[in-house]
Amino acid sequence: DVKVTQSSRYLVKRTGEKVFLECVQDMDHENMFWYRQDPGLGLRLIYFSYDVKMKEKGDIPEGYSVSREKKERFSLILESASTNQTSMYLCASRQGWGTEAFFGQGTRLTVV
Amino acid sequence: TQLLKQSPQFLSIQEGENLTVYCNSSSVFSSLQWYRQEPGEGPVLLVTVVTGGEVKKLKRLTFQFGDARKDSSLHITAAQPGDTGLYLCAGERTYNTDKLIFGTGTRLQVFP
């Protein structure tokens, strides 16, 4: 059974904290994604990685950075969390163009 | 600004009714996918369309990719409570990118 695993389902952090969201996939996929999901806005792409150590900015990269040191792991970093980063964060992986994206169950992050 | 806009944003109908969800863009997409997301879960792929004018059927669901590959529709016949969920379209702008962009989402509620 294919799997994308996010390290936490729920997370509460304080404003100004550095936050790490971890994602691991077991499908040997080339591509990994971090999306943010907010009501009425669907899924907005934060960052996309197409290979180890390779990344590309999505639509809303401000305030976020990413790391992909190993093929199976893609980390999202909030350098200094702010209340407007309270959201649901979804990680996904896929092999290539036209293929299915597999998602983790999401991390609901609350910044207080 | 999100490239893929869905309408309607919300849809609440009775069991047995038909409905259509639209996914529109001013940009051309090389492929278009539809996903369904249930509460507490990540989105799951329903279908992929890659050719302008293509129509695919999945039981009571009919998917169409516009001739110009700028829009798509999802039609559900005789909706059932099990169809309840968030429907998301997603696409890639070109053939040489694996970057997947999602739409704004349509939340469907089907009442018994």
Side-chain angles (χ1 to χ4, degrees):
Chain A
D1 198 19
V2 297
K3 205 174 248 189
V4 177
T5 304
Q6 293 183 229
S7 51
S8 305
R9 287 297 298 270
Y10 300 94
L11 216 48
V12 180
K13 295 292 181 180
R14 294 192 183 279
T15 301
E17 275 192 80
K18 191 168 186 175
V19 181
F20 293 87
L21 302 184
E22 307 284 345
C23 176
V24 177
Q25 52 102 355
D26 65 0
M27 294 164 281
D28 201 36
H29 285 164
E30 301 291 329
N31 304 288
M32 295 188 75
F33 305 79
W34 276 106
Y35 294 93
R36 173 176 169 161
Q37 183 169 28
D38 299 288
L41 298 177
L43 271 62
R44 291 180 292 167
L45 181 63
I46 305 172
Y47 267 99
F48 156 54
S49 170
Y50 51 92
D51 201 349
V52 174
K53 296 188 191 279
M54 306 303 287
K55 63 187 178 186
E56 188 175 316
K57 290 181 181 179
D59 298 321
I60 51 165
E62 296 79 19
Y64 303 95
S65 62
V66 290
S67 172
R68 193 163 178 207
E69 297 295 320
K70 293 186 177 182
K71 192 175 186 181
E72 67 270 19
R73 187 179 296 269
F74 192 33
S75 303
L76 180 69
I77 303 151
L78 286 66
E79 295 291 341
S80 177
S82 64
T83 54
N84 63 13
Q85 293 178 309
T86 291
S87 188
M88 171 68 83
Y89 290 87
L90 286 164
C91 174
S93 73
R94 71 196 298 231
Q95 184 53 32
W97 179 88
T99 62
E100 179 174 2
F102 293 89
F103 283 83
Q105 289 188 296
T107 296
R108 184 163 292 284
L109 172 68
T110 302
V111 183
V112 297
Chain B
T1 304
Q2 288 180 265
L3 283 178
L4 286 168
K5 294 201 182 300
Q6 291 183 232
S7 61
Q9 186 176 347
F10 299 100
L11 202 48
S12 183
I13 62 172
Q14 293 293 129
E15 183 176 1
E17 290 185 38
N18 300 332
L19 66 113
T20 301
V21 176
Y22 299 93
C23 173
N24 294 297
S25 177
S26 56
S27 302
V28 174
F29 282 79
S30 60
S31 78
L32 212 295
Q33 297 179 321
W34 284 91
Y35 290 77
R36 182 170 70 205
Q37 184 180 22
E38 299 187 18
E41 303 292 330
V44 175
L45 180 69
L46 296 173
V47 77
T48 300
V49 286
V50 300
T51 305
E54 184 175 0
V55 176
K56 279 193 175 178
K57 293 195 175 188
L58 187 67
K59 296 184 182 177
R60 293 175 295 99
L61 278 60
T62 302
F63 305 86
Q64 184 161 9
F65 200 10
D67 291 340
R69 291 187 286 121
K70 292 184 178 181
D71 55 80
S72 180
S73 63
L74 157 60
H75 182 79
I76 301 180
T77 303
Q80 298 178 1
D83 295 327
T84 293
L86 179 67
Y87 289 81
L88 295 152
C89 63
E92 291 133 324
R93 288 289 313 282
T94 67
Y95 294 99
N96 59 3
T97 181
D98 300 330
K99 184 173 164 182
L100 190 62
I101 300 166
F102 277 79
T104 50
T106 295
R107 187 164 295 282
L108 171 65
Q109 177 82 51
V110 182
F111 292 98

